[in-house]
Amino acid sequence: MKILLLGFGNVGKAFRKLVNEKDRAKELQNVKIIGIVNSKGLMIGDNENFKVDKKIDLLQAIDEVQPDVIVDMLPANYNNGEPSLSLYLNALHKGIHVITTNKAPLALKYSEIMKEAEKHNAKVLFQGTVMSGTPSVNLYKVMPGQRVFRIKGILNGTTNYILTKMYEGLDYNSALKEAQDKGYAERDPELDINGFDAAGKISILTNVYFGKNITIHDVKFEGIKNINNELINKTREKGTKIKLIAYSDGKETYVKPLEIDKNDPLYNVNGVLNALEIESDIQNTTIIGPGAGPINAAYGALSDLILLIRT
């Protein structure tokens, strides 16, 4: 199986390392990363050694390499999903599978992408877009026959870290600065703290769990900017906590700060951890784990790759 890897930052490098550890899974024995596209252009190689071949755009790279699978680890562009969106549609039209950790195309054009994949018997796998390597998208695949009523979760580690630190006594600005200093928050953290990032993720999960075709624009979202220490102290006295909750029941989808009590499975999910609770007619399932980090995001893509080979 030949892979064209798009993006070679920390996540891309971690992904190549995992693929090269052939003893990790028998399915990796015949996997080869034969091309990498980064800011310098297209690099051609054989898993280990790559050299810049030429300055080339992404669509040309597909024709040059002729991969079986494209793995997209490019930065998210929420304006229009490009260049990844056009790349997916082009690749899927040719029957090339897509694995992605890039949320934007799916949060903007989920239905269009999936229809193109189905039309040409290709697959789109995207565990790494929500909760990185902690099963969220792929968790649904091992829950056949369950009728899911609602899902809710903590899907953004940055805001969860800030709220956790506020319960430990820091004010909002100090908690944000600490998150930035530790690399948990961007220098411009707007997309995290205003709820936008979590909105993109819950839109993807809504489509997976409820068979919908919504976009991020269908999600009502609110962030944590209005949470202050006075509010934190009031809930602490009551034994409750405020968490930024992403929720969907297939009809209503939103992201907003909610007060939850100690009986809620999400109550003790602190720091940069993420969590997803799934309520069905059979059982309630909660999964907790890292929602970010290069190795975690890379593993999300690797798990998709292994599942793809198995099907």
Side-chain angles (χ1 to χ4, degrees):
M1 181 167 276
K2 299 183 296 182
I3 293 176
L4 174 62
L5 175 59
L6 309 178
F8 202 53
N10 291 334
V11 178
K13 287 173 179 149
F15 177 75
R16 185 178 73 165
K17 181 176 183 294
L18 290 176
V19 167
N20 286 343
E21 293 171 356
K22 301 298 183 186
D23 60 342
R24 188 171 288 278
K26 67 180 187 297
E27 288 87 355
L28 299 176
Q29 299 305 315
N30 295 316
V31 172
K32 285 187 177 180
I33 299 174
I34 58 169
I36 297 173
V37 178
N38 67 0
S39 57
K40 295 177 182 176
L42 173 64
M43 298 190 292
I44 301 290
D46 57 356
N47 272 353
E48 293 287 354
N49 302 304
F50 289 84
K51 63 179 181 179
V52 177
D53 181 61
K54 60 186 72 172
K55 196 75 176 173
I56 197 170
D57 70 31
L58 294 180
L59 295 179
Q60 290 173 316
I62 294 177
D63 293 330
E64 185 84 14
V65 174
Q66 296 189 339
D68 300 303
V69 185
I70 287 168
V71 177
D72 179 15
M73 294 178 164
L74 295 170
N77 171 13
Y78 282 104
N79 291 326
N80 55 18
E82 298 297 351
S84 294
L85 177 58
S86 293
L87 183 86
Y88 296 1
L89 297 176
N90 182 280
L92 294 168
H93 186 78
K94 295 174 179 175
I96 298 169
H97 306 298
V98 172
I99 293 172
T100 182
T101 62
N102 179 355
K103 293 179 289 292
L106 290 164
L108 294 168
K109 297 284 185 179
Y110 182 91
S111 177
E112 185 178 344
I113 292 167
M114 292 304 164
K115 283 177 182 174
E116 191 68 16
E118 186 177 359
K119 194 188 304 182
H120 299 284
N121 200 29
K123 292 185 176 167
V124 183
L125 299 101
F126 46 95
Q127 167 52 52
T129 62
V130 185
M131 294 176 66
S132 287
T134 303
S136 56
V137 173
N138 287 347
L139 186 60
Y140 181 72
K141 297 176 183 178
V142 293
M143 299 175 63
Q146 293 190 42
R147 296 186 182 96
V148 177
F149 298 137
R150 61 191 64 85
I151 58 176
K152 68 174 184 176
I154 296 169
L155 301 181
N156 182 271
T158 299
T159 48
N160 202 39
Y161 183 84
I162 291 169
L163 291 172
T164 299
K165 287 298 172 179
M166 290 179 75
Y167 276 98
E168 292 176 4
L170 293 184
D171 60 43
Y172 173 83
N173 289 329
S174 299
L176 172 57
K177 184 177 184 306
E178 185 172 306
Q180 289 172 321
D181 290 344
K182 291 193 171 184
Y184 300 147
E186 302 290 340
R187 287 298 116 192
D188 179 5
E190 186 64 21
L191 294 183
D192 290 319
I193 60 176
N194 71 1
F196 187 89
D197 175 74
K201 293 170 181 174
I202 196 66
S203 74
I204 292 170
L205 290 180
T206 297
N207 293 334
V208 170
Y209 280 84
F210 300 105
K212 301 294 182 180
N213 288 311
I214 70 167
T215 75
I216 193 171
H217 302 302
D218 299 310
V219 181
K220 299 172 186 173
F221 63 91
E222 178 188 338
I224 63 167
K225 289 181 181 177
N226 294 326
I227 307 299
N228 56 39
N229 287 89
E230 182 181 354
L231 194 55
I232 293 288
N233 290 334
K234 281 181 181 176
T235 59
R236 187 192 284 116
E237 288 169 8
K238 289 194 290 182
T240 60
K241 280 183 185 175
I242 294 171
K243 294 286 188 181
L244 187 66
I245 301 296
Y247 171 92
S248 180
D249 56 19
K251 298 171 185 173
E252 184 182 20
T253 308
Y254 62 75
V255 174
K256 63 183 176 183
L258 290 177
E259 187 177 345
I260 61 176
D261 63 30
K262 289 179 179 177
N263 295 320
D264 194 301
L266 305 181
Y267 182 88
N268 288 314
V269 179
N270 294 318
V272 292
L273 286 177
N274 280 197
L276 180 66
E277 182 186 4
I278 301 145
E279 297 179 39
S280 82
D281 63 333
I282 303 295
Q283 63 192 29
N284 289 1
T285 303
T286 302
I287 189 158
I288 300 168
I295 194 71
N296 309 94
Y299 175 72
L302 186 82
S303 67
D304 279 339
L305 178 62
I306 293 171
L307 291 173
L308 175 64
I309 295 169
R310 286 179 180 176
T311 56

